[in-house]
């Protein structure tokens, strides 16, 4: 009541007398608009990703396709443990790598021998996809599946026969495991692989080889509600990085003719395309550990609850969904640290956004469309009630007055079934008789399904949201404000990696990085952190040892830095102790051919 009186005392902001409901029409949608399935998908907000397979045992990120199936034996495997953890962490679903790039299938299929039937797990009678599906049904989580188009095991990869095989796999996964909320198709294709023993490089035309339109139709025919993830949808899109963050400005649209799996301008996906013609919301993928698969060596590098909180604000808080990977370990379980950090992060978010100061208030608005589109719709709990202005009005002011409170968080939501409209807004708080801007460290442009703002605590009795520009009359269904407590939950996610290194000098050559250690050491580990600006990233290498740069010809090891372009984390090579004064990391493949190799940091560990 108090708020109503205060609002009435502000003539400039007084709501216009409401028209009768019958004369008020619903605002027209402004395209592109989401399908009803996409709207439901946005509401899922956070869910888990699981990478599990032969790589878990072979200690690899990208299997070559030749790892023996006999290594797969998760003796304590318990998909219910995974799902219970996710539920406690507030997640709404889980996406599993039914098949990663190595071609190994976690479900018993007759289509290939390279599958769980030929493993010791449950004497070949296991079915990880089926067991996870049952666990999800038991605990009420949604299931999604990842089926890598690239297959480094299949002999026919690169020919039309493989595409047929891929469609048969799709048919099994989309008919045997109930309702799928999401289907994940990544765009990776590194070329080389085992390919039934051929061990060669196979290049495909990424845009046309798989016939993606046909694959999408196939999935949707069997699972119409499934949101298909690729670089450019059709259901949802990659956010253009594997760090789990969307830009503050984030449109849920893309120029659909331009984006396809393997899209070269992928960095633009973090913003979306303001002039896009299709609704394809962003999904932020990141792993709780540096790699996507489990590695013993990463047990002390699990993201902290504070880091996960930061990612939540930069994904869900930036109009995107948050898919957080939690690798299952060799026993078939989620590790303790991972599950503790997950649940703690969720509790921290819940605490920070526990009490909505504005709940049920009636703000003073510069204009009200009338009918059902009134100011109280901004603070009720009904998703489908929303406030709007008249069609021709593209700016507005929404003012809340309340007894003095501490505030440092806000939530804004647009009613997306009618499109994403707001292009610019600002937030102010009342300080005495003045209105001052809250101090934000990011731009206030788009809102979309959800926008979360964090700012230094203000003690105030008023908050004001100014809609400064919009594509059509603003339609907002929620504004909330919170006091999230004090504390240092704002941390840098990408701190880089720490390691001890022997002193050395580094020289960059045309195709190599030369490390002179000053004296001979028995080296057994080399670290390579790729350059942050993306220029000079090595994808394939040969590592040589010797006494001088000229005589460093003893080959220690060679291989690929898997997935380094999308996930440019510290790469660690372990090998038998090798005496060396000079180490040469020769680039045999680069992200951008022709560039000279560069390193953000390098290091070696020596064996005593
Ligand atoms: C990428 C893959 O190459 C990685 O291995 C991982 O699966 C990630 C989620 O997608 O494209």
């Amino acid at each position: 009541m108090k708020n109503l009186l205060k609002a009435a005392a502000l003539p400039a902001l007084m709501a216009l007398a409401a028209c009768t409901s019958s004369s008020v029409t619903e605002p027209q949608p402004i395209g592109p608009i989401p399908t009803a399935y996409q709207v439901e998908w946005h509401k899922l907000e956070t869910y888990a990703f699981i990478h599990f397979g032969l790589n878990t045992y072979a200690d690899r990120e990208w299997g070559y396709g030749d790892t023996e199936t006999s290594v797969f034996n998760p003796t304590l495997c318990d998909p219910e443990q995974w799902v219970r953890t996710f539920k406690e962490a507030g997640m709404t679903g889980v996406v599993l790598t039914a098949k990663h790039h190595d071609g190994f299938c976690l479900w018993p299929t007759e289509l290939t021998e390279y599958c769980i039937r030929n493993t010791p797990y449950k004497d070949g009678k296991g079915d990880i996809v089926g067991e996870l599906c049952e666990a999800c049904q038991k605990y009420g989580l949604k299931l999604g599946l990842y089926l890598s188009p690239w297959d480094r095991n299949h002999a026919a990869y690169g020919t039309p026969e493989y595409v047929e095989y891929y469609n048969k796999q799709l048919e099994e996964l989309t008919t045997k495991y109930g309702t799928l909320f999401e289907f994940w198709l990544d765009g990776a294709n590194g070329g080389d692989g085992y390919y039934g023993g051929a061990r060669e490089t196979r290049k495909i035309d990424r845009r046309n080889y798989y016939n993606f339109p046909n694959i999408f139709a196939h999935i949707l025919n069997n699972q119409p509600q499934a949101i298909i993830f690729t670089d450019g949808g059709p259901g949802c899109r990659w956010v253009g990085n594997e760090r789990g963050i969307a830009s503050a400005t984030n449109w849920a649209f893309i120029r659909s003719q331009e984006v396809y799996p393997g899209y070269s301008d992928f960095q633009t996906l973090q913003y979306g395309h303001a002039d896009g013609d299709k609704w394809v919301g962003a999904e932020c993928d990141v792993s709780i550990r540096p790699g996507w698969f489990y590695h013993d060596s990463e047990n002390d590098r699990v993201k902290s609850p504070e880091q996960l909180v930061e990612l939540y604000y930069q994904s869900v808080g930036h109009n995107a969904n948050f898919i957080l990977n939690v690798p299952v370990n060799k026993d078939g379980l989620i590790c303790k640290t991972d599950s503790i950090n997950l649940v703690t992060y969720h509790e921290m978010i819940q605490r920070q956004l526990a009490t909505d100061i504005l709940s049920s208030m009636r703000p003073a608005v510069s204009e009200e469309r009338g009918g059902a589109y009134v100011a109280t719709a901004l603070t009720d709990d009904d998703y489908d009630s929303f406030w709007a202005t008249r069609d021709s009005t593209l700016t507005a002011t929404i003012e809340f007055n309340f007894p003095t409170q501490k505030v440092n968080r806000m939530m804004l939501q647009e009613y997306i079934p009618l499109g994403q409209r707001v292009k610019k807004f600002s937030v102010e708080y009342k300080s005495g008789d003045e209105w001052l801007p809250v101090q934000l460290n990011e731009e206030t442009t788009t809102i979309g399904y959800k926008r979360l703002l964090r700012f230094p605590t203000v003690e105030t009795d008023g908050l004001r949201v100014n809609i400064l520009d919009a594509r059509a009359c603003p339609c907002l269904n929620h504004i909330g404000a919170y006091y999230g407590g004090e504390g240092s939950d704002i941390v840098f996610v990408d701190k880089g990696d720490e390691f001890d290194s022997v002193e050395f000098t580094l020289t960059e050559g045309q195709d190599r990085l030369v490390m002179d250690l000053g004296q001979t050491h028995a080296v057994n580990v080399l670290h390579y952190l790729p350059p942050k600006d993306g220029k000079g990233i090595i994808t394939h290498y040969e590592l040589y040892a010797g006494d001088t740069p000229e005589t460093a010809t003893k080959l220690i090891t060679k291989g690929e830095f898997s997935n380094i372009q999308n996930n440019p984390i510290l790469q660690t090579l372990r090998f038998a102790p090798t005496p060396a004064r000079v180490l040469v990391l020769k680039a045999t493949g680069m992200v951008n051919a022709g560039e000279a190799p560069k390193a953000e940091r390098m290091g070696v560990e020596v064996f005593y």
Side-chain angles (χ1 to χ4, degrees):
M1 190 46 143
K2 200 164 175 196
N3 300 310
L4 271 176
L5 290 175
K6 282 204 177 175
L10 292 162
L13 294 171
M14 249 185 59
L16 289 181
C19 308
T20 55
S21 308
S22 56
S23 63
V24 179
T25 54
E26 179 167 290
Q28 287 298 304
I30 174 160
I33 56 164
T35 65
Y37 293 133
Q38 285 175 311
V39 174
E40 291 312 306
W41 173 85
H42 279 278
K43 293 181 190 170
L44 298 177
E45 298 192 1
T46 67
Y47 34 87
F49 211 172
I50 290 185
H51 279 64
F52 189 34
L54 299 181
N55 291 348
T56 310
Y57 300 86
D59 205 14
R60 302 187 77 158
E61 278 292 292
W62 278 3
Y64 189 69
D66 61 350
T67 305
E68 296 291 336
T69 54
S70 56
V71 301
F72 188 83
N73 193 13
T75 46
L76 303 175
C77 191
D78 184 5
E80 285 200 14
Q81 183 244 5
W82 317 345
V83 171
R84 277 197 308 271
T85 309
F86 299 149
K87 199 171 170 112
E88 270 186 57
M91 294 169 149
T92 51
V94 48
V95 177
L96 171 73
T97 51
K99 179 185 89 168
H100 199 251
H101 310 328
D102 65 355
F104 175 72
C105 301
L106 282 174
W107 78 103
T109 172
E110 294 297 329
L111 295 169
T112 177
E113 292 304 312
Y114 207 52
C115 78
I116 199 159
R117 282 188 297 111
N118 293 318
T119 70
Y121 177 60
K122 294 192 174 171
D123 289 329
K125 304 275 182 314
D127 176 359
I128 300 286
V129 180
E131 290 157 33
L132 179 59
C133 175
E134 274 176 32
C136 283
Q137 282 167 2
K138 180 163 170 186
Y139 291 95
L141 257 69
K142 294 183 184 294
L143 178 68
L145 294 174
Y146 173 121
L147 184 69
S148 165
W150 186 25
D151 189 321
R152 297 174 106 177
N153 176 264
H154 203 280
Y157 184 77
T159 70
E161 184 193 331
Y162 170 76
V163 179
E164 244 177 72
Y165 166 79
Y166 186 81
N167 273 282
K168 286 185 188 152
Q169 293 192 312
L170 270 186
E171 182 65 17
E172 289 190 354
L173 291 178
T174 54
T175 53
K176 287 175 61 178
Y177 297 104
T179 305
L180 303 175
F181 84 99
E182 187 162 317
F183 213 94
W184 232 86
L185 307 175
D186 72 282
N189 187 304
D192 57 339
Y194 174 71
Y195 304 131
R199 296 185 181 277
E200 60 190 14
T201 298
R202 294 191 181 166
K203 292 270 178 240
I204 50 135
D205 168 357
R206 286 188 179 202
R207 194 156 194 168
N208 300 308
Y209 171 56
Y210 300 105
N211 192 352
F212 278 113
N214 189 53
I215 284 176
F216 300 158
H218 187 170
I219 296 169
L220 295 176
N221 187 43
N222 292 342
Q223 300 274 346
Q225 74 298 323
I227 296 300
I228 299 176
F229 171 103
T230 73
D231 288 11
C236 67
R237 70 172 198 265
W238 184 38
V239 75
N241 64 69
E242 292 185 358
R243 290 182 297 131
I245 57 179
S247 167
T249 300
N250 180 13
W251 293 98
F253 322 144
I254 57 158
R255 293 185 290 269
S256 60
Q257 294 310 306
E258 210 174 277
V259 193
Y260 60 94
Y263 177 53
S264 57
D265 212 4
F266 58 88
Q267 277 95 349
T268 62
L269 297 175
Q270 64 186 302
Y271 315 104
H273 298 155
D275 58 352
D277 61 303
K278 268 205 81 188
W279 184 284
V280 187
E283 184 181 85
C284 298
D285 59 325
V286 67
S287 183
I288 195 166
R289 289 158 174 253
W292 292 98
F293 282 89
Y294 173 84
H295 307 286
D296 288 333
S297 58
E298 294 180 354
N299 280 341
D300 57 353
R301 293 163 71 196
V302 180
K303 288 191 176 64
S304 65
E306 289 78 10
Q307 284 174 302
L308 298 175
V309 165
E310 179 64 23
L311 292 176
Y312 175 87
Y313 280 107
Q314 294 206 41
S315 55
V316 175
H318 285 173
N319 186 31
N321 278 7
F322 181 23
I323 182 166
L324 176 57
N325 183 67
V326 187
V328 165
N329 68 18
K330 289 187 254 187
D331 287 335
L333 295 170
I334 291 175
C335 295
K336 210 165 162 187
T337 315
D338 305 44
S339 71
I340 291 173
N341 290 7
L342 275 174
V343 174
T344 311
Y345 126 77
H346 176 55
E347 283 171 0
M348 286 168 72
I349 294 288
Q350 279 191 308
R351 256 202 316 276
Q352 292 180 14
L353 305 177
T355 311
D356 182 355
I357 293 162
L358 309 180
S359 178
S360 308
M361 280 187 189
R362 181 188 185 90
V365 289
S366 52
E367 185 181 311
E368 208 170 57
R369 190 178 183 92
Y373 315 105
V374 290
T376 45
L378 287 162
T379 57
D380 66 16
D381 283 340
D382 179 359
Y383 181 81
D384 288 307
S385 76
F386 60 94
W387 157 88
T389 58
R390 288 187 300 267
D391 287 342
S392 55
T393 307
L394 305 183
T395 58
T397 304
I398 305 154
E399 183 181 318
F400 296 88
N401 293 280
F402 42 80
T404 301
Q405 301 259 2
K406 284 183 177 174
V407 187
N408 58 12
R409 302 274 187 283
M410 280 191 82
M411 180 193 293
L412 289 93
Q413 290 190 280
E414 283 187 83
Y415 188 63
I416 58 166
L418 298 181
Q420 191 180 339
R421 297 158 172 254
V422 175
K423 288 161 77 171
K424 195 167 188 221
F425 68 99
S426 68
V427 175
E428 295 167 304
Y429 71 100
K430 217 157 136 204
S431 168
D433 292 336
E434 267 186 301
W435 286 94
L436 300 175
V438 298
Q439 275 175 46
L440 294 165
N441 60 4
E442 56 186 32
E443 70 263 17
T444 41
T445 43
T446 55
I447 297 176
Y449 167 74
K450 186 174 272 188
R451 182 73 195 269
L452 292 166
L453 303 173
R454 289 171 295 171
F455 43 88
T457 305
V458 291
E459 237 176 304
T460 185
D461 59 356
L463 283 169
R464 188 154 83 179
V465 174
N466 304 303
I467 307 292
L468 302 171
D469 196 8
R471 296 169 63 234
C473 68
C475 299
L476 263 64
N477 65 337
H478 193 75
I479 299 183
Y482 315 81
Y483 173 59
E486 306 299 329
S488 56
D489 61 350
I490 301 178
V491 295
F492 293 103
V493 180
D494 250 347
K495 274 189 291 196
D497 297 278
E498 302 299 330
F499 51 83
D500 295 327
S501 58
V502 168
E503 288 283 306
F504 61 86
T505 49
L506 181 68
T507 323
E508 287 161 356
Q510 263 314 303
D511 66 346
R512 61 195 60 210
L513 299 169
V514 181
M515 305 170 75
D516 187 340
L517 312 182
Q519 56 175 290
T520 302
H521 291 282
V523 184
N524 67 334
V525 177
L526 177 124
H527 301 283
Y528 167 63
L529 184 63
K532 284 234 167 17
D533 64 1
K535 297 203 174 73
I537 297 184
I538 303 173
T539 57
H540 293 76
Y541 61 84
E542 287 169 0
L543 180 65
Y544 294 96
D547 292 331
T548 65
E550 293 72 36
T551 57
T553 50
K554 179 180 165 26
L555 182 64
I556 306 179
T557 177
K558 63 179 188 171
E560 73 179 358
F561 293 129
S562 304
N563 199 24
I564 194 169
Q565 180 175 11
N566 294 333
N567 195 13
I569 57 174
L570 182 74
Q571 310 289 318
T572 300
L573 301 179
R574 294 177 197 280
F575 40 88
T578 308
R581 172 181 164 149
V582 169
L583 287 168
V584 173
L585 184 68
K586 180 173 175 210
T588 54
M590 302 285 301
V591 166
N592 297 311
E595 273 181 3
K598 297 239 168 339
E600 179 83 21
R601 292 175 73 187
M602 300 272 301
V604 290
E605 290 176 24
V606 299
F607 187 82
Y608 292 101

